[in-house]
Every structure is written in structure tokens, then in C-alpha cells.
Amino acid sequence: MVSSPHEAMHRIFQEYPGLFSRVSEVLGIDIPPPTSVTILPTDLTEARPVERRVDTLLRIETRDDGPFLLAIEAQGKKDLRKTTSWPYYVTYLHNRYGGLPVLLLVVCQDHATAEWAARPLTIGLRQWQTLTLNPLVAGPHNMPVITNVADARKDLALATPAAITHADNPDVGAILKTLSAALREAPETITDPIVELTAQGLGNRPAAQQWRNLVAVDTSFYKSFLSEEIRDEGRAEGLDKGLAEGLARGLLLIFEVRGIAVTDEIREKITSCGDPQLLNRWLEHATTASSAEEAVGQSQVD
């Protein structure tokens, strides 16, 4: 798996092509809902010049306003080369696809990059600008902070890039817990790509480990590549102290997500337990138990 925030920030639009209609509403742009979306080749290379590729390219059909092209760029930091490549992308695509309107969406994870990306790009003289490009930017400054499970469950596709763009938010723990809780009743065909894309999007930030812990909490629920990877890492370490500590954190997290109080005595019992098999059994019971005492008290194999 490519653990790259860059990949996740634009691939989510490939996984859920209709997502842009919801993102455009969040960003305050009145674009008709799509009737169909087609993923197009991202290679913008001409016969001889330097190779150029946009991150994701979609053709979006609308009922009343006709089709348009959506070029999506994931931007992790300022890059002065984009001042020439982005105008090229837009003009090239406009020409290649028969004059279709082209919209450039730039997805960022920090305020400074988002502010930089939102600046109009101009080509021309000081006295007269021949071309002005206004990228549409989604980032922590305008994407919603979703900490209500019902809101996340209503639109999991939007909740995913919202969580990714807020990777550095001080409340990212609450955001990720909300997303994880919202996934619990969704089918695997929905949960698997969201689990993977969120992991990619968080990259090597501290929030990434929080997400991995949440994913590891209920291994019977998450069957994705990431959960298998977590279990494999545990086996490689001998399923000893490191795995026990991870399972203990996961157990405490599931109590927190479910709103179950944990006494100091129970917390000490969990954190001091070095038996991964016992901790796994407690984890299984924690998803349905009405109290921490009930879950941790069930130490026998079912």
C-alpha cells in the first residue's frame, strides 16, 4: 500500500466520483449535481515536450449545464513550479477535450499551503493579464470538522477527505473516532477503501497511529489491508509487549468511543495485562458489553 497523503487526497475522488458535488457545496460553489462521472486518463504529455500528469481527472455530466472536466491536484506544500504547470493543465485540457469547461480543485492539509494555492495565477503583462487562473481550494480552512457520528454516517465519502484535510487539527482524535464509529454499520465494500485512504492521507503524522489503533480495536469488523498489516506487524514482534500495549490502547479507545466509563482499577488491569490473547477476548466483549467491568470480567474463551 502506498502510504502517501498526496495519493489519498485525490484518490478519494476516484473512489467516490460523485463526491465533488458535496465538496462544492461545502466550498460555496453552486454546481449542479452530476448525472454521471467518468474517470479520464491523467497523462497530459504531448508528443515531444516534458511529461506532465494531473493527479486525478474526471469528466462530470450535469443535467442542466452540460459536462465539465474536474482536474484534482493534491498539494502537500508550496511548489512554485505549479504556477506554470496548473495553467498548462487547464488550457491543454480545454483544448484536448473540445473546449469543455475545466475546473481545477486543489486539496491541501495545512493553512499556509491552502492560502498559497488559492492565489490567482496570471499570465500576461502588468498592464493587461492575458490569462487568470483561479483554483478552487479545499483544505482545513473550509472543510467541515465532523465530530458527530450521525453527520459522518450521512456522508462517509465527504467525511473521509474532511478528516484527511484536518490531519493536523488539535481535535483530530475526535474527528477520527467519529469516522471510525460511523463506519461500524457500513458494508465492507464501503469501509475498506475509507480505512485505507484515511491511513494514506494521515501519512506519518501522529494522527496516523491513532487511526491505526482505532482500526485495530475490532479486528472482526475491519477486514481491510491495513488491519491485516497491523496484525502481521504484531506477529512479527512476537505478539508480546508491543502487541499487548497496542491492544490495551485499543480496548480503552473502544470504551471511549462507546461512552463507557472506566474506573482506575479497570484501567490498571487493562494496561498491566501482558497477555495478548486475554486482551483480544476483552476487545471482543467490549463491543457489546454494557460496562467495562462486564467486558473485562469475561476472561474465559467463548
Side-chain angles (χ1 to χ4, degrees), residues 116-139:
W116 165 80
R119 295 173 183 170
L121 300 175
T122 58
I123 297 176
L125 302 177
R126 176 178 57 81
Q127 299 88 341
W128 188 266
Q129 301 299 332
T130 304
L131 174 67
T132 300
L133 174 66
N134 291 292
L136 182 62
V137 178

Side-chain angles (χ1 to χ4, degrees), residues 8-297:
M9 285 193 288
H10 69 86
R11 274 192 54 223
I12 184 68
F13 291 88
Q14 297 179 21
E15 194 70 37
Y16 303 97
L19 171 62
F20 179 67
S21 65
R22 277 97 81 196
V23 172
S24 64
E25 291 176 12
V26 171
L27 302 184
I29 307 298
D30 184 17
I31 294 176
T35 55
S36 68
V37 177
T38 305
I39 299 176
L40 300 175
T42 59
D43 189 351
L44 309 185
T45 308
E46 295 186 41
R48 298 174 63 184
V50 177
E51 178 180 340
R52 294 181 174 92
R53 290 180 184 272
V54 67
D55 288 334
T56 286
L57 180 61
L58 305 176
R59 176 189 170 111
I60 298 180
E61 302 281 346
T62 65
R63 181 174 289 104
D64 299 322
D65 291 357
F68 69 94
L69 300 176
L70 176 64
I72 303 168
E73 284 280 281
Q75 199 64 34
K77 60 182 180 180
K78 298 177 185 179
D79 185 350
L80 295 180
R81 292 172 299 178
K82 298 299 184 179
T83 59
T84 56
S85 59
W86 285 347
Y88 171 85
Y89 293 168
V90 171
T91 54
Y92 175 82
L93 290 169
H94 181 71
N95 180 64
R96 177 177 176 181
Y97 288 94
L100 282 183
V102 182
L103 181 60
L104 173 64
L105 172 66
V106 183
V107 187
C108 306
Q109 288 181 292
D110 68 89
H111 290 274
T113 303
E115 182 180 356
W116 165 80
R119 295 173 183 170
L121 300 175
T122 58
I123 297 176
L125 302 177
R126 176 178 57 81
Q127 299 88 341
W128 188 266
Q129 301 299 332
T130 304
L131 174 67
T132 300
L133 174 66
N134 291 292
L136 182 62
V137 178
H141 65 297
N142 56 10
M143 289 295 281
V145 175
I146 302 176
T147 53
N148 180 281
V149 175
D151 290 341
R153 191 171 287 139
K154 268 191 251 178
D155 198 340
L156 288 168
L158 178 62
T160 304
I164 291 171
T165 54
H166 288 290
D168 294 321
N169 189 304
D171 294 326
V172 68
I175 295 170
L176 295 176
K177 289 171 191 173
T178 299
L179 179 58
S180 176
L183 290 173
R184 292 189 176 279
E185 297 179 6
E188 287 183 15
T189 53
I190 292 176
T191 62
D192 284 359
I194 288 178
V195 167
E196 304 304 331
L197 287 166
T198 303
Q200 285 184 332
L202 297 173
N204 58 4
R205 292 171 169 82
Q209 187 57 50
Q210 296 182 53
W211 182 245
R212 293 170 73 86
N213 290 340
L214 285 165
V215 170
V217 162
D218 187 356
T219 55
S220 65
F221 171 66
Y222 289 122
K223 299 296 185 183
S224 67
F225 180 91
L226 180 62
S227 61
E228 293 294 339
E229 180 184 278
I230 291 171
R231 289 193 289 275
D232 288 344
E233 288 175 356
R235 295 187 191 103
E237 293 170 2
L239 294 175
D240 50 12
K241 182 179 177 182
L243 179 56
E245 289 176 353
L247 290 169
R249 287 196 300 269
L251 180 56
L252 293 172
L253 275 171
I254 200 169
F255 287 141
E256 186 174 348
V257 169
R258 296 190 62 208
I260 294 177
V262 180
T263 65
D264 290 341
E265 181 182 357
I266 293 294
R267 185 179 299 274
E268 173 63 24
K269 184 175 182 179
I270 291 170
T271 56
S272 62
C273 179
D275 183 349
Q277 292 184 340
L278 180 57
L279 284 163
N280 257 320
R281 290 198 291 273
W282 289 348
L283 274 168
E284 292 171 4
H285 294 301
T287 60
T288 56
S290 58
S291 68
E293 289 78 6
E294 178 185 344
V296 174

